[in-house]
Amino acid sequence: MAANTIELNRSRYNFDGVESIWLFGYGSLIYKVDFPFLEQRPARIDGWVRRFWQGSHDHRGTAEAPGRVVTLVEQPGACCRGMAYRISPTVFEHLDEREKNGYLRFSTTLTFYDASQTEGLVYIATEDNEAFLGHAPEADIARQIASAQGPSGLNAEYLVQLAEALRDLGDNDQHVFSLERLLTT
Ligand code: SIN
């Protein structure tokens, strides 16, 4: 699959007659909210974990020296906490552009902190996209993050801001927090 997913995402869902839809954010969408929303609620999705396994050529790295950003990886029994936004479907014009480096929109069930549930969408960069980097030892991932930067800034900033946002959500994401520790040691 090509790294640029704009066209693929546009053809994936028909939003005719849909006034608003929930979007689950688990990475930069938690702390960099550069889009309008109607409502915002902490939520989780089950069966997925957050991993710094996606390469970033356009935001936090370059084609020559890609950074690493998060995607979701399936893991039965696990859950991933994040922030859900109820948005107008028109907002996907901006979000598809922002998430174009390998992320596709998938349907998912969101669970809010009061245990109520709803259907929504989530951007996931699956392993068949060209920018996918996959698993590596955490020390290597941290080193790559420490040295990468792109048009949106330092890759390290992405990691630190995400870790802070997850602490604010009361999350205990060992992968993210141990990368953050490795970054500063
Ligand atoms: C997300 O935040 O939900 C997707 C990944 C990212 O943009 O960092």
Side-chain angles (χ1 to χ4, degrees), residues 13-19 89:
Y13 291 94
N14 182 349
F15 293 120
D16 286 354
V18 176
E19 265 177 34

Side-chain angles (χ1 to χ4, degrees), residues 35-170:
F35 53 90
F37 59 86
L38 304 162
E39 206 179 331
Q40 176 186 39
R41 292 178 74 182
R44 61 161 221 267
I45 62 172
D46 294 330
W48 297 90
V49 288
R50 181 173 19 237
R51 291 286 178 263
F52 271 84
W53 287 9
Q54 173 67 2
S56 177
H57 307 101
D58 57 344
H59 282 299
R60 301 291 180 166
T62 60
E64 299 73 39
R68 274 185 182 255
V69 290
V70 288
T71 185
L72 292 179
V73 178
E74 268 187 295
Q75 190 174 297
C79 84
C80 175
R81 288 209 207 184
M83 187 61 80
Y85 306 90
R86 192 163 63 80
I87 59 173
S88 156
T90 57
V91 178
F92 284 114
E93 255 171 65
H94 166 66
L95 291 175
D96 287 351
E97 167 72 33
R98 173 173 158 174
E99 303 295 324
K100 67 178 183 295
N101 199 31
Y103 292 87
L104 286 178
R105 295 190 236 122
F106 289 89
S107 298
T108 188
T109 302
L110 281 63
T111 306
F112 298 114
Y113 283 15
D114 65 3
S116 64
Q117 294 188 316
T118 190
E119 291 305 301
L121 294 177
V122 58
Y123 283 98
I124 299 177
T126 54
E127 61 183 33
D128 55 353
N129 87 86
E130 279 174 8
F132 191 79
L133 294 175
H135 175 269
E138 284 185 344
D140 294 352
I141 294 181
R143 251 193 306 278
Q144 183 173 355
I145 292 173
S147 65
Q149 63 177 306
S152 296
L154 295 174
N155 201 178
E157 209 173 70
Y158 175 105
L159 167 56
V160 170
Q161 283 180 315
L162 177 59
E164 278 167 9
L166 293 179
R167 272 190 286 277
D168 289 346
L169 282 173

